[in-house]
Amino acid sequence: NGARTLLLSGGLGAGKTTLVRGLVEALPGGDDAEVSSPSFNICNMYPTRPETAHYDLYRLEQARGAALAVADDALLDLLETEGPRRALVIVEWAERLPVDVLPPDRLELTWLPATHGRLITAFARGEAARRVLAATAREVADLVVPETAPRTAADTAMQAPSADDDRDPRDTRDTRDAQENT
């Protein structure tokens, strides 16, 4: 039972929907799914096991949190659902969601500019997500480039937080108050 939320960020044409198509087709029942970008209807549901909810927030306002105001309550319900009946939730343009609605266990994939092919950073938040990412990395070991020490200030800005830090870098809330009051 692993993380069931996959958040995708990257520019137009980066390959987000192509990745979703491959994932859905690999799931039981996926051969019956017609995967396409849900840019206009916001969400497509696929008859996979587990069921897959594919959201695309591209058309929604770009201001942080505005997507939440427009996205239906179904997305929030799916993000909050726990247990074995929980759907696989995949969100394209996930950077448009506010941090406080994101589940603690999730995988985040970000497409970065690359001269050739695709460059994707993967970050796991939560123990289940770490297990899924570690298992995936073992399966595609020839494609994985280990994180290295940054060489420049720009590299530092692009480096993901350590696996021990589950705090989302987009989350600007001050956690010192919570620590002091406990």
Side-chain angles (χ1 to χ4, degrees):
N1 208 6
R4 293 207 179 171
T5 302
L6 180 59
L7 304 177
L8 310 178
S9 300
L12 284 172
K16 297 179 297 294
T17 302
T18 300
L19 176 71
V20 174
R21 184 173 296 113
L23 289 172
V24 168
E25 289 174 355
L27 290 171
D31 47 349
D32 296 330
E34 293 184 32
V35 178
S36 62
S37 177
S39 292
F40 292 101
N41 55 334
I42 310 300
C43 179
N44 288 339
M45 297 297 291
Y46 304 118
T48 57
R49 288 182 307 281
E51 183 177 39
T52 301
H54 176 199
Y55 282 83
D56 184 330
L57 306 181
Y58 175 72
R59 287 192 24 212
L60 304 183
E61 292 287 326
Q62 290 189 17
R64 187 172 311 285
L68 185 60
V70 179
D72 58 16
D73 289 337
L75 174 58
L76 294 178
D77 290 344
L78 287 169
L79 290 173
E80 293 174 357
T81 301
E82 299 291 333
R85 296 182 54 100
R86 187 174 190 279
L88 172 61
V89 180
I90 304 172
V91 182
E92 294 187 42
W93 299 91
E95 65 274 16
R96 296 184 179 180
L97 286 173
V99 173
D100 61 338
V101 303
L102 301 178
D105 250 325
R106 62 189 187 268
L107 286 173
E108 300 173 0
L109 302 182
T110 303
W111 278 250
L112 301 173
T115 308
H116 303 287
R118 301 286 193 263
L119 178 60
I120 301 172
T121 60
F123 190 75
R125 297 197 187 278
E127 191 55 40
R130 281 190 200 94
R131 286 192 306 270
V132 169
L133 185 56
T136 303
R138 283 190 299 274
E139 291 296 318
V140 294
D142 57 326
L143 301 175
V144 176
V145 177
E147 189 175 15
T148 59
R151 286 166 280 200
T152 67
D155 290 337
T156 302
M158 296 301 289
Q159 186 172 359
S162 73
D164 295 332
D165 182 8
D166 280 340
R167 187 162 173 240
D168 192 312
R170 297 178 294 160
D171 188 352
T172 57
R173 295 176 289 175
D174 190 351
T175 57
R176 288 177 292 177
D177 293 336
Q179 292 170 350
E180 291 171 3
N181 294 328
T182 56

